[in-house]
Amino acid sequence: MDTVVKPQYNDGVVKAFTLAAIVFLVLGTFFGTYAASELAWPFLNFDTAEITFGRLRVIHTNTVIYAFGGNVLMATAFYIVQRTNGRPLYSNKLAWVQFFAFQAGLLLAVITLALGMSQAKEYHELEWPLDIAVALVWVLFTFNFTMTIAERDKQKVPHIYVANWFFFGLLIMVTYLWVLNALSVPVSLFRSYSLFSGVQDAMIQWWWGHNAVGFFLTAGFLGIMYYFVPKQAQRPIYSYRLSVIHFWSLMFGYVWLGAHHLQYTALPDWVGSLGAVISLAMIIPSWGGALNGMLTLSGAWDRLRTDYILRFLIMSLAFYAMSTFEGPVMAAKSVNALSHYTDWTIGHVHSGALGWVAMVSIGAVYHMTMKLWKTEMYSMSLINFHFWLATIGTVFYIVAMWVSGIMQGLMWRAYDDYGTLAYTFAESVAAMHPYYVMRAIGGILFTAGAAVMLYNMIMTIRMANARQTQLAHA
Amino acid sequence: MSKIESYFHTDWAAMTAYDWGGMILTIVIFVALAVTFFNALRPKNAKELEEQRMTPLRDDE
């Protein structure tokens, strides 16, 4: 009789990345909520340089994007690549080196940013020694992931599943975008100046900046979606052909968008227009992808009533569809004239970050926790509670920022009969106060949800460990 | 020159090497995407591609 030998996966390192991700989710959302509270109640900075808004905001963005998002991407990439290629990682040791080097880098990032050491480049603030360290960790990640696919049994697994394509796109694109934007002239150990200047520097920065969103915060998380939505729904993805079109459109479309961040600047007008046109065109593949995920549930929508993890995954796709519609609209010049430099942009970023990236990650992490520790969750009710805290928190946040952003834009452009500005900048700041309070409440709700998740995970792991100990003694 | 003609007018003599490189790359990517979309949507390839939908459901768990 033939026996099927199940591959022994390297799940220890995946568990470590998964736990680190949720610890950083709690920390990152706490930093963000505290920074948001400082805008509502400025005394909260206690005149301490290290926790002023300017530094805390950057610590928040780096913690949620790289520490939470990075750990989630590394955990899910290693989880998916092993299972879809039917083999363990190319090198488990290398994966552990990557884990410890990445966490050490993140710790140094928080310390240096709190001390005010920054390149002052959005989503790329780390000074050059840490910049190089991050690039090296990323290369390790890319090498291990690629080699795991390359060394698969091609007879058994002739086709590479599409989730791996998205991860591969993320790895390649982020490597070269990160390195090019990081090109600088170091003048001391913790001070450097960009190799580019003026409008070229701005263009390179936003070419990187929007692609950090497009590849780091979208492509990899779409890889997560294409694996975990079918897995959790126990149904195949709605259309594989649509996923192929989604992938290639995203890879070659996203790189054009950065210029829409620089409308009405010294950048040539046609570059901004091109960025806006391609942004609008990107609605098609983005919505195709969102629909592909949602329609996977065709005929089984009732499962959303009882499967709270699936709720996170499907809600994330609703936010993905919404923010990928909102973004292109904001890129159009006429809307951009109102929205740019206002809180509307912050609201847009968070509908993507909280609604899409965090929720798809949370769904995937809950799914993985049960599989990795081979147990049910400690409390399904707490997952439901977390879902509502996260959803209501996100809605509070983005509605507050829509209102304050549009109000800001209208106040800044209002003229009186004499052609002078109707409001001073300080008046527009004072008008924002109620919305900044509302945003802080949204942040508190979302952070509370993250803390509930961490508690639920710790209890689940303790429960699984206790059961294993019992079995060992039996 | 009509408004449309003037909108699409290009001073070819003023094109730099960077301009030519960018234009050629754009056209190559456009054609490659068109070929990819054609192949993905071609009914002949439907069965082979759609079979891959089952991959996540076939793994060990």
Side-chain angles (χ1 to χ4, degrees):
Chain A
M1 198 174 91
D2 287 343
T3 51
V4 179
V5 180
K6 278 173 71 172
Q8 293 297 309
Y9 300 134
N10 300 130
D11 281 341
V13 74
V14 179
K15 287 178 181 176
F17 277 121
T18 305
L19 265 178
I22 302 310
V23 170
F24 280 119
L25 175 65
V26 176
L27 287 174
T29 50
F30 171 75
F31 294 147
T33 304
Y34 196 88
S37 303
E38 285 183 342
L39 287 186
W41 303 285
F43 76 88
L44 284 172
N45 69 34
F46 299 110
D47 285 333
T48 308
E50 286 76 13
I51 60 162
T52 48
F53 180 81
R55 295 193 190 176
L56 200 55
R57 177 195 169 266
V58 178
I59 294 173
H60 159 63
T61 53
N62 277 268
T63 311
V64 288
I65 296 173
Y66 300 113
F68 164 63
N71 274 307
V72 165
L73 288 170
M74 289 170 185
T76 51
F78 283 156
Y79 184 89
I80 293 169
V81 77
Q82 295 185 80
R83 281 154 179 81
T84 53
N85 292 283
R87 55 153 294 150
L89 291 175
Y90 172 72
S91 169
N92 190 37
K93 278 184 192 159
L94 218 52
W96 277 108
V97 170
Q98 178 191 326
F99 174 79
F100 286 113
F102 191 54
Q103 312 312 317
L106 292 169
L107 186 67
L108 286 172
V110 170
I111 293 168
T112 54
L113 291 172
L115 293 173
M117 296 167 182
S118 166
Q119 289 195 75
K121 286 189 161 200
E122 185 82 345
Y123 308 141
H124 205 152
E125 289 86 357
L126 300 182
E127 270 295 355
W128 67 275
L130 280 173
D131 239 1
I132 294 172
V134 170
L136 290 176
V137 169
W138 200 254
V139 170
L140 276 186
F141 181 23
T142 308
F143 176 72
N144 209 358
F145 182 86
T146 310
M147 290 307 291
T148 303
I149 295 177
E151 302 251 312
R152 73 190 190 283
D153 182 341
K154 294 178 187 71
Q155 298 291 325
K156 278 189 196 160
V157 189
H159 179 87
I160 302 167
Y161 184 64
V162 73
N164 296 299
W165 304 12
F166 279 96
F167 279 112
F168 202 55
L170 151 86
L171 292 165
I172 292 174
M173 297 299 281
V174 166
T175 304
Y176 94 94
L177 289 159
W178 177 275
V179 170
L180 270 178
N181 192 46
L183 292 176
S184 57
V185 182
V187 291
S188 69
L189 186 59
F190 278 104
R191 178 63 59 209
S192 63
Y193 293 96
S194 173
L195 200 64
F196 311 100
S197 61
V199 75
Q200 281 89 358
D201 189 39
M203 185 59 238
I204 295 283
Q205 158 55 31
W206 282 109
W207 174 65
W208 149 258
H210 200 87
N211 285 308
V213 176
F215 291 97
F216 200 92
L217 295 176
T218 302
F221 292 91
L222 285 168
I224 294 175
M225 185 277 278
Y226 276 113
Y227 181 83
F228 287 101
V229 168
K231 201 77 187 158
Q232 185 66 25
Q234 294 170 326
R235 302 170 71 84
I237 194 77
Y238 175 70
S239 166
Y240 198 81
R241 286 181 292 168
L242 192 53
S243 71
V244 172
I245 290 173
H246 185 194
F247 172 79
W248 288 111
S249 308
L250 196 91
M251 288 300 123
F252 288 107
Y254 243 113
V255 285
W256 298 79
L257 308 191
H260 73 215
H261 286 260
L262 297 166
Q263 307 284 33
Y264 307 108
T265 64
L267 194 74
D269 192 60
W270 68 266
V271 186
S273 299
L274 185 68
V277 168
I278 306 282
S279 301
L280 286 162
M282 286 298 288
I283 292 176
I284 302 166
S286 301
W287 276 48
L291 285 172
N292 207 4
M294 286 188 191
L295 291 174
T296 298
L297 270 193
S298 279
W301 287 101
D302 58 294
R303 292 203 44 205
L304 286 178
R305 221 177 286 148
T306 50
D307 189 336
Y308 306 132
I309 298 172
L310 200 56
R311 270 193 206 171
F312 268 111
L313 295 168
I314 298 299
M315 182 60 88
S316 76
L317 285 166
F319 275 108
Y320 175 59
M322 192 183 76
S323 54
T324 52
F325 176 76
E326 186 186 28
V329 169
M330 291 171 78
K333 282 186 173 175
S334 50
V335 180
N336 197 269
L338 176 76
S339 73
H340 208 181
Y341 310 115
T342 74
D343 288 332
W344 187 356
T345 306
I346 321 301
H348 166 63
V349 168
H350 282 81
S351 77
L354 300 176
W356 157 237
V357 173
M359 289 215 200
V360 78
S361 304
I362 289 164
V365 166
Y366 277 130
H367 178 100
M368 283 197 300
T369 301
M370 290 192 289
K371 300 287 184 192
L372 290 169
W373 278 275
K374 298 180 177 61
T375 180
E376 289 303 305
M377 287 301 294
Y378 167 72
S379 168
M380 288 311 244
S381 310
L382 281 180
I383 298 181
N384 189 26
F385 183 48
H386 179 193
F387 173 79
W388 289 111
L389 282 173
T391 304
I392 295 169
T394 305
V395 171
F396 255 66
Y397 192 113
I398 60 179
V399 169
M401 292 297 95
W402 278 337
V403 178
S404 73
I406 292 170
M407 193 192 278
Q408 273 176 333
L410 292 173
M411 286 179 85
W412 293 344
R413 60 160 54 175
Y415 288 90
D416 62 18
D417 293 341
Y418 300 101
T420 54
L421 288 171
Y423 302 99
T424 63
F425 182 74
E427 282 173 322
S428 75
V429 173
M432 295 309 111
H433 183 72
Y435 308 106
Y436 286 176
V437 172
M438 190 173 160
R439 174 192 25 204
I441 293 169
I444 289 167
L445 290 174
F446 200 93
T447 306
V452 166
M453 181 184 193
L454 182 61
Y455 170 75
N456 203 1
M457 278 184 67
I458 290 170
M459 295 308 287
T460 304
I461 295 165
R462 287 183 62 176
M463 197 171 73
N465 290 343
R467 192 174 298 162
Q468 279 197 342
T469 314
Q470 269 180 354
L471 284 173
H473 289 294
Chain B
M1 198 183 281
S2 72
K3 207 175 169 188
I4 291 281
E5 278 174 323
S6 88
Y7 187 79
F8 284 104
H9 172 73
T10 302
D11 183 358
W12 295 104
M15 294 271 283
T16 65
Y18 287 120
D19 293 335
W20 279 108
M23 191 185 79
I24 291 165
L25 195 64
T26 306
I27 292 170
V28 167
I29 290 170
F30 176 81
V31 173
L33 274 177
V35 171
T36 306
F37 290 176
F38 175 77
N39 279 323
L41 296 172
R42 204 174 178 190
K44 202 181 90 174
N45 297 332
K47 190 170 174 286
E48 188 190 340
L49 281 171
E50 294 300 343
E51 271 175 8
Q52 310 305 329
R53 294 163 72 212
M54 304 307 291
T55 305
L57 306 178
R58 270 200 300 254
D59 65 26
D60 67 316
E61 294 138 347

